[in-house]
Amino acid sequence: MFKVYGDIVSGNCYKVKLALMQLQLPFEWAHVDILRKESRTPAFLAMNPNGQIPLLQIDAQTFLPESNAILHYLADGSPLLPQDRLEHAQVLRWMFFEQYTHEPNVASARFIVRYLGRPAEREALLQQKIAAGHEALSIMEAHLEREPFFVGGRYTIADIALYAYTHVAHEGMFDLAPYPALRAWLNRVEVQPHYIGMDDGTA
Ligand SMILES: N[C@@H](CCC(=O)N[C@@H](CS)C(=O)NCC(=O)O)C(=O)O
């Protein structure tokens, strides 16, 4: 059985939980408190030298970090990851966009507000993250005005990767009112089979 080291209010960790639930794969969850530096202990660093969650334990000696690599590993061979060469690359394209353009802004703004309590000394950084986050959300909106999902007209791990922090963006002071296509896509994700919310049930 898979074991996930994570914190369920982290969007990167939630991606893994959502994929496991939707793929109907059994797993256990080990809570890691990053504010208490539990991902930086020698024992944790032996499993992931990068000191971050989520971390998937595959067997006694095998660990896989990086949320989007974990999604790729779990979804391989399933309908959540297209086999077609170009569609497969398009999934990766949106997952790289998520990690480089979306998550560093949308998730970081939420981290400053939700985890750190919006300290005054981070306010300028928060405003930078919000501005850059809106640029990422606008790119998503333009795509979703034409397409129901990110790749191939159907739900894939690209949607899981981008949904994780977008659906809680309001916790980072993002107003999603200007993004009707994006809000409709959030609703489409939430009616997919075996969908589970961030704070619901397991973990
Ligand atoms: N690129 C990584 C980012 C993971 C990440 O940022 N993890 C955060 C929590 S969401 C973390 O572990 N922070 C604690 C630390 O860096 O010490 C992924 O997608 O998994």
Side-chain angles (χ1 to χ4, degrees):
M1 191 197 294
F2 293 119
K3 182 172 183 176
V4 182
Y5 294 85
D7 170 358
I8 200 48
V9 301
S10 145
N12 285 321
C13 298
Y14 168 61
K15 292 174 194 176
V16 177
K17 170 179 149 178
L18 182 55
L20 284 162
M21 294 297 289
Q22 294 193 305
L23 290 163
Q24 297 280 276
L25 296 169
F27 64 96
E28 61 178 296
W29 191 273
H31 179 71
V32 176
D33 186 336
I34 56 171
L35 294 183
R36 296 178 61 190
K37 306 278 182 204
E38 289 176 2
S39 66
R40 301 282 167 172
T41 64
F44 193 91
L45 291 170
M47 298 187 291
N48 178 14
N50 201 27
Q52 292 193 321
I53 51 171
L55 179 67
L56 182 73
Q57 182 165 10
I58 296 168
D59 61 34
Q61 283 88 34
T62 312
F63 299 90
L64 183 64
E66 292 295 334
S67 59
N68 289 351
I70 297 170
L71 290 184
H72 200 273
Y73 173 78
L74 293 174
D76 192 33
S78 85
L80 292 181
L81 181 55
Q83 300 291 309
D84 174 81
R85 185 179 180 184
L86 181 57
E87 286 187 348
H88 192 117
Q90 292 284 16
V91 166
L92 293 177
R93 166 252 181 131
W94 283 110
M95 293 171 87
F96 293 138
F97 165 84
E98 189 269 341
Q99 283 286 283
Y100 195 77
T101 305
H102 182 283
E103 193 260 12
N105 297 305
V106 177
S108 295
R110 176 175 176 264
F111 182 81
I112 292 168
V113 176
R114 175 155 185 175
Y115 279 72
L116 303 182
R118 199 176 177 177
E121 67 271 20
R122 301 268 183 130
E123 189 61 26
L125 180 61
L126 174 62
Q127 295 307 324
Q128 283 174 27
K129 298 287 182 188
I130 290 173
H134 276 295
E135 289 180 24
L137 295 172
S138 297
I139 291 166
M140 294 168 67
E141 176 73 10
H143 186 76
L144 293 166
E145 283 170 355
R146 303 186 306 271
E147 298 285 338
F149 295 103
F150 278 92
V151 181
R154 61 192 189 281
Y155 183 67
T156 69
I157 53 172
D159 299 288
I160 294 179
L162 282 162
Y163 174 82
Y165 282 109
T166 305
H167 88 294
V168 289
H170 58 280
E171 295 179 4
M173 313 301 293
F174 290 93
D175 177 10
L176 296 187
Y179 307 108
L182 186 147
R183 287 186 283 110
W185 165 76
L186 292 177
N187 292 337
R188 283 193 291 280
V189 171
E190 287 158 12
V191 296
Q192 294 304 305
H194 307 295
Y195 170 85
I196 188 163
M198 183 177 252
D199 295 330
D200 298 345
T202 312

